[in-house]
Amino acid sequence: ACQGRLVVVDGPLRQPLADYISETEVNAEYEAIVAETGPSSVHVIPREKRISFDDKHEAYSRLDAMKVAKEQALVRMRAAEYVQAGKALPDDIMANYTKTIQQKLAPVALNRIRGSASSLHR
């Protein structure tokens, strides 16, 4: 009879559960990770031609700053792909960015806060 065994997959690591719990590397197997060697589409575009955002005056929390940076990176990458392909940027690229940022940074509705607070006092 063939017995099964529990295996842990943790990123590139693959090893039997018992070894993982014992913190031993005896049966550990690592998957080769291939790094991207070429420059991203953004880095091919000269800095002065890259899309930029006028938000230096904004004071974001750490979490919001990370959300904004991620969205800006995605927009820059999309814009660079258009430029590399010789295409004009879509007219709504910044409007879509603004809408996404507003959704991701939307404050919790006051009614929800008031509603939950008033339900606690009932």
Side-chain angles (χ1 to χ4, degrees):
C2 186
Q3 272 189 319
R5 65 178 194 180
L6 293 175
V7 175
V8 173
V9 177
D10 186 5
L13 170 66
R14 180 183 176 90
Q15 85 184 124
L17 177 63
D19 290 353
Y20 185 80
I21 292 171
S22 301
E23 297 182 2
T24 178
E25 293 283 319
V26 176
N27 297 305
E29 297 174 13
Y30 289 91
E31 183 180 314
I33 298 175
V34 179
E36 188 177 307
T37 56
S40 72
S41 54
V42 174
H43 292 100
V44 175
I45 307 301
R47 189 174 291 274
E48 65 275 3
K49 291 191 176 186
R50 294 180 196 166
I51 197 166
S52 62
F53 302 87
D54 184 29
D55 66 346
K56 292 189 188 304
H57 61 281
E58 297 290 338
Y60 297 116
S61 68
R62 283 181 121 175
L63 179 59
D64 286 349
M66 289 170 45
K67 290 176 184 178
V68 169
K70 177 187 172 197
E71 285 306 313
Q72 288 180 353
L74 291 171
V75 171
R76 280 191 183 99
M77 200 164 54
R78 274 189 232 115
E81 289 167 357
Y82 276 96
V83 171
Q84 268 189 301
K87 298 178 183 176
L89 294 180
D91 293 334
D92 62 350
I93 195 165
M94 289 307 285
N96 288 340
Y97 162 76
T98 302
K99 182 179 176 183
T100 300
I101 290 298
Q102 287 172 342
Q103 289 172 342
K104 291 195 178 213
L105 305 184
V108 177
L110 282 176
N111 293 340
R112 287 178 58 197
I113 293 172
R114 287 185 188 134
S116 63
S118 64
S119 67
L120 292 174
H121 298 295
R122 290 184 186 164

